[in-house]
Amino acid sequence: MATENSNVSKAEEFKLLANKAFGARKYAQAIELYTKAIELNSQNAVYLANRAFAHLRREEYGSAIQDATEAIEVDPKYSKGYYRRGTAHLAMGKFKEALKDFQQVKKLCPNDPDATKKLKECEKAVMKLKFEEAIAVPESLRHSVAESIDFHTIDVEPQYSGARIEGDVVTLDFVKKMMDDFKNQKFLHKRYAFQIVLQTRDILRALPSLVDINVPNGKHFTVCGDVHGQYYDLVNIFELNGLPSEDNPYLFNGDFVDRGSFSLEVILTLFALKCMSPSALYLARGNHESKNMNKIYGFEGEVRSKLNETFVELFAEVFCCLPLAHVINEKVFVVHGGLFSVDGVKLSDIRAIDRFCEPPEEGLMCELLWSDPQPLPGRGPSKRGVGLSFGADVTKRFLQENNLDLVVRSHEVKDEGYEIDHDGKLITVFSAPNYCDQMGNKGAFIRFEAPDLKPNIITFSAVAHPNVKPMAYANNFLQLFS
């Protein structure tokens, strides 16, 4: 009995420390401390729901659902269990499952105005989804929106004073003027935006799903991770490391858009640089270059607000043309998410993926975009609820079987902007510092020098940006939960 009481009070101490860490936005530390509390007292639904909340903050929606479900099993009348699980379902775009959870919250807290409000938003989202499903055109009958656009017929008003493309060639002068306009929160004319996106589509469509990059001896190559609509931090990367050029090439490793509220400026800048010099800038698809994510996390709303509906469809189409992975000098494998649920995947299997579609929920393409490394060997369920977690042994085997030296991936916020795992064989690089204006993390990029391709990691801090909050264009219901 004494031991039991001592465990309960020790667990409570860990919970208080965890709450403190959570308040300081140290979510990984909070998760560790809540875990200690749960190990001492597994029958406390509050600890589980609190840990679910910390997982939500780290975008680990699969783990949040698991914890919230356990909290509900411990105490079926604990409304926060349903609330946390509903929030995680919403963040994953699983509106119907979220609706069931918020109906339960409302049942348990009938007079809570907050629960009522969230239930209403959830009902709206489900109604919208049903409507979209009802009017959706089958894949086989869909026409390419890109092929219906002729940007040459769009007039540019005489009073337009922004950047202009003369003829068909995107020049460095144009890119610099456009970037300056963006810094001053001016928009690019629709004609030129169409021209950039359509030219990028043509370039990307001609590429394989796995792109080989050759860096000559004595030359360098820079890899950046997620930028997530943080335009002013993107400009800072170029100030620190130079603009992309034949002699200063870059690879941006997915998740260019969403969350940050300057996603359009980011994507048009990257696409314009790609048009200016295709071998100066390489682009890989991330899990956020997809319709489902863009609908929820802000890019769709931003494009609609700054341009129009046609651009929403056009970007969705062009994102399906982005390559899925890159290999530098036959030695460094670069991918947004990670590795696979099966052994024996060869580079030729990745090359053979038909990528011209929305990302599926399982299989090689899904895993390339969504998976994460784990400290334990073997494979485990994904903390995100999509893809999987893979250990050092999986990384080592993949590298050996494909005669590679290193995996570079992005996809996860890291305090220092990067993290080296799996006995030095895997590096995570993340290039959105102070992510969402609240994580306090640094950003990083990696410079490789040929021939030895030793990674030189450069970190940097966030810079000021105009007072437009992250997620400003995100779906209503998501703003309620952020």
Side-chain angles (χ1 to χ4, degrees), residues 147-220:
E147 281 158 24
S148 68
I149 298 162
D150 179 3
F151 65 84
H152 297 98
T153 63
I154 300 169
D155 291 329
V156 180
E157 303 76 18
Q159 65 269 30
Y160 173 71
S161 61
R164 291 170 181 263
I165 303 170
E166 302 301 335
D168 285 337
V169 180
V170 174
T171 63
L172 180 58
D173 284 344
F174 164 79
V175 174
K176 284 179 172 172
K177 165 79 170 133
M178 180 185 74
M179 287 178 71
D180 271 346
D181 286 350
F182 285 162
K183 264 200 282 194
N184 297 314
Q185 291 185 275
K186 291 179 184 166
F187 293 144
L188 180 67
H189 195 280
K190 285 188 184 69
R191 175 195 164 110
Y192 305 122
F194 272 130
Q195 186 169 347
I196 288 164
V197 180
L198 291 167
Q199 282 186 17
T200 304
R201 175 180 176 265
D202 291 341
I203 295 166
L204 296 176
R205 279 176 82 199
L207 295 172
S209 290
L210 174 68
V211 175
D212 289 293
I213 296 168
N214 178 46
V215 184
N217 287 354
K219 299 287 187 181
H220 66 267

Side-chain angles (χ1 to χ4, degrees), residues 283-318:
L283 298 166
R285 194 172 193 175
N287 62 304
H288 275 267
E289 278 69 54
S290 74
K291 262 189 209 173
N292 196 24
M293 293 288 111
N294 297 163
K295 205 179 275 299
I296 301 171
Y297 290 98
F299 184 58
E300 189 179 292
E302 185 181 338
V303 171
R304 203 173 272 128
S305 166
K306 293 177 181 176
L307 290 166
N308 59 32
E309 190 64 42
T310 307
F311 275 98
V312 171
E313 290 176 49
L314 181 60
F315 277 114
E317 207 170 285
V318 178

Side-chain angles (χ1 to χ4, degrees), residues 335-379:
V335 65
H336 180 71
L339 300 181
F340 311 103
S341 53
V342 291
D343 287 332
V345 175
K346 294 288 199 285
L347 296 182
S348 56
D349 298 320
I350 300 167
R351 244 182 270 284
I353 295 171
D354 179 6
R355 70 182 188 279
F356 297 97
C357 60
E358 287 302 313
E361 289 196 15
E362 55 186 19
L364 297 188
M365 181 170 167
C366 168
E367 289 161 5
L368 284 163
L369 300 182
W370 279 96
S371 294
D372 295 289
Q374 64 178 27
L376 299 170
R379 294 176 171 92

Side-chain angles (χ1 to χ4, degrees), residues 319-338:
F319 287 165
C320 291
C321 303
L322 287 161
L324 303 176
H326 293 75
V327 174
I328 305 170
N329 287 9
E330 299 181 358
K331 289 294 168 202
V332 180
F333 179 70
V334 190
V335 65
H336 180 71

Side-chain angles (χ1 to χ4, degrees), residues 430-451:
F430 191 84
S431 304
N434 194 24
Y435 179 49
C436 288
D437 285 0
Q438 64 171 17
M439 297 300 275
N441 60 293
K442 285 183 180 157
F445 52 84
I446 309 174
R447 269 174 76 115
F448 291 97
E449 307 274 339

Side-chain angles (χ1 to χ4, degrees), residues 18-83:
N19 289 353
K20 214 178 207 173
F22 187 99
R25 294 175 176 165
K26 293 179 178 169
Y27 303 120
Q29 193 187 340
I31 288 166
E32 276 175 38
L33 291 161
Y34 287 130
T35 302
K36 286 179 177 170
I38 292 160
E39 282 164 359
L40 290 164
N41 182 5
S42 62
Q43 292 306 296
N44 190 315
V46 175
Y47 303 165
L48 288 156
N50 283 8
R51 190 171 70 178
F53 198 11
H55 281 304
L56 282 170
R57 284 282 186 252
R58 285 175 59 85
E59 299 175 22
E60 295 167 357
Y61 303 124
S63 298
I65 288 169
Q66 204 178 332
D67 275 350
T69 302
E70 280 182 43
I72 292 162
E73 282 164 7
V74 168
D75 182 357
K77 288 195 160 59
Y78 184 52
S79 64
K80 275 194 180 160
Y82 297 100
Y83 190 96

